[in-house]
Amino acid sequence: MKKKLALLFGYLFIGIGLITAQTQKVTGTVISDDDKQPVVGASIVVKGTNLGTITDIDGHFTLLDVPHSAKILQISYIGMKTESVSVQPTVRVILKSDTQLMDEVVVVGYGTTTRKNLTTSIATVKTEKISRAATSNMSQMLLGRAAGLEATLASPQPGGAVDLSIRGAGTPIFIVDGVMMPSTSLEVGNGNQVMPNSINRSGLAGLNPADIESIEVLKDASASIYGIGAANGVVLITTKKGTETRPQITYEGNYSIVKNYPYLEPLSGEEYMNVANIFNKENYLFTNGMYPYGDKPFDNKWVPQFSPQQIAAAQTTDWLDCVLKDGSINNHNITITGGSKLLKYYLSGNYYKQEGTVENSAMERYALRTNISSQLLPFLKLTAIVNVNENEYTNSTSGGGGGGNGYDAIQSALTYPSYLPIRGEDGKPTL
């Protein structure tokens, strides 16, 4: 019996040893190559697993239960190159600065500088990293793209407005290639025309997003060069220019389909009539003080608004289906660029058409932009930038309203009686 117990415990200890041997403990230190100081908060991940940790205030880290099958540790930190090292009981990692990031040229109010020389807060948005397939204007490109910049879609209509706010302030000013632009538009104003409240178009709609090279968002002191008008911040837009290359022709086109989310399902014609009868009867009882709204008994004089024959013959009109539809976005760009040391050119053409998901809502744009620069003399350079565009809008009153303004399309479709046909017996609309 004693021999069996000893043998059993022996197997148990061997099993525990085998389980323990399947994992290992890894410790290490992460320091910076620039100043040889510990890197605090560096991320350490065992490649191919969810096991990871971060360095402490001394740059140390510890990983427990690292599988023996794990081979690589990945160490990363913002502004530094990611390093990969072999899994060992003790590791020492030196992170180098990402010179490509630090040497990135950033546009500021007084020219350009490298990111490593910045002393103020500037956020850069590189447009080549953003899909422009369904983007009608510059503001839509900034949705969720820059820290400290709040971009809110104010209107879902084609070419609808996007409200921009830097750190919770008001509307910033826009600078396009060094020229201050109105925050509301890049086109000729509407004169004395009064736009309905339901129409809320985006500014800078005449600027083709495909022509934008980069966008810098200047915050706090970095925007002070533009004076008191820049109290809410500055959005600097730099457009594309010609390069010293052979002529290059580029075409980019895309087509997108837009669908509505499932909407409220209105009552059928029969259901509408039944609900109308119930409401009508309850209103009759309440008005005459009958039970359960008073002490009087029901007098049986109530006449239904709709008879059983009318309810049985009821038809249903889907008014929402008459208002809502599938939308589409059709976007085409063609660019010609090239040049030499003495002459550089950039020409682009754009056709953009968006069909909204509400009837009679659309936007169509034709845009042409040229940027030609010539080095006339060693000290004299001439640059000509021309932007020509034509925007056509079809804006239906699809939302809002009510009260003295009346209902708009979607609200009317939800509340209009579903038993009525689109046109009456006389051929005229029942609306």
Side-chain angles (χ1 to χ4, degrees), residues 421 423-428 430:
R423 295 182 180 275
E425 296 179 357
D426 56 359
K428 296 181 179 180
T430 56

Side-chain angles (χ1 to χ4, degrees), residues 363-375:
M363 171 191 174
E364 189 173 24
R365 177 181 64 214
Y366 299 88
L368 175 66
R369 185 175 182 84
T370 64
N371 188 323
I372 302 174
S373 61
S374 176
Q375 193 72 43

Side-chain angles (χ1 to χ4, degrees), residues 279-296 299 302:
F279 176 80
N280 186 272
K281 182 177 181 180
E282 295 296 320
N283 186 56
Y284 177 83
L285 296 175
F286 177 80
T287 303
N288 293 279
M290 298 179 184
Y291 181 82
Y293 305 103
D295 298 330
K296 297 179 181 178
D299 59 6
W302 170 73

Side-chain angles (χ1 to χ4, degrees), residues 4 8 12 17 21 36 73 108 167 198 214 220 224 240 356 361 384 388 424:
K4 291 182 179 180
L8 178 61
L12 181 61
K36 309 303 180 185
L73 289 180
V108 294
R167 291 179 174 173
S198 59
S214 67
D220 50 63
S224 60
K240 295 180 180 178
S361 63
V388 180

Side-chain angles (χ1 to χ4, degrees), residues 118 205 317:
L118 281 177
T317 301

Side-chain angles (χ1 to χ4, degrees), residues 370-396:
T370 64
N371 188 323
I372 302 174
S373 61
S374 176
Q375 193 72 43
L376 301 178
L377 297 170
F379 58 88
L380 180 61
K381 183 178 181 180
L382 177 63
T383 300
I385 301 175
V386 178
N387 190 89
V388 180
N389 68 89
E390 178 182 350
N391 292 4
E392 296 181 3
Y393 295 90
T394 304
N395 295 109
S396 60

Side-chain angles (χ1 to χ4, degrees), residues 76-252:
S76 60
Y77 189 74
I78 298 175
M80 295 183 173
K81 292 183 177 179
T82 299
E83 296 288 343
S84 297
V85 298
S86 300
V87 174
Q88 300 176 13
T90 304
V91 296
R92 185 173 183 268
V93 183
I94 300 176
L95 292 183
K96 297 180 180 180
S97 298
D98 191 341
T99 55
Q100 182 177 1
L101 175 64
M102 299 305 291
D103 292 336
E104 177 186 352
V105 176
V106 179
V107 179
V108 294
Y110 40 82
T112 59
T113 186
T114 56
R115 185 169 293 280
K116 64 184 177 183
N117 291 330
L118 281 177
T119 58
T120 57
S121 183
I122 297 178
T124 302
V125 179
K126 291 295 184 181
T127 57
E128 68 266 15
K129 299 180 181 180
I130 303 174
S131 173
R132 296 185 293 267
T135 303
S136 65
N137 56 71
M138 177 277 305
S139 299
Q140 292 181 358
M141 298 173 66
L142 296 177
L143 288 166
R145 295 292 176 178
L149 177 66
E150 181 181 352
T152 306
L153 185 63
S155 174
Q157 67 191 45
V162 176
D163 292 338
L164 299 179
S165 175
I166 299 176
R167 291 179 174 173
T171 304
I173 63 174
F174 297 90
I175 308 294
V176 181
D177 290 331
V179 180
M180 185 179 298
M181 295 292 179
S183 61
T184 54
S185 180
L186 188 62
E187 302 78 45
V188 178
N190 295 310
N192 294 325
Q193 298 179 9
V194 178
M195 302 293 286
N197 292 332
S198 59
I199 298 177
N200 190 6
R201 297 172 183 166
S202 177
L204 303 179
L207 184 61
N208 179 16
D211 290 334
I212 298 177
E213 180 73 29
S214 67
I215 302 173
E216 273 75 29
V217 181
L218 308 188
K219 314 167 191 176
D220 50 63
S222 59
S224 60
I225 188 175
Y226 293 101
I228 192 172
N232 295 329
V234 177
V235 177
L236 281 178
I237 302 171
T238 304
T239 60
K240 295 180 180 178
K241 303 175 179 61
T243 56
E244 295 182 21
T245 59
R246 292 184 300 176
Q248 297 180 352
I249 301 177
T250 304
Y251 166 77
E252 180 185 32

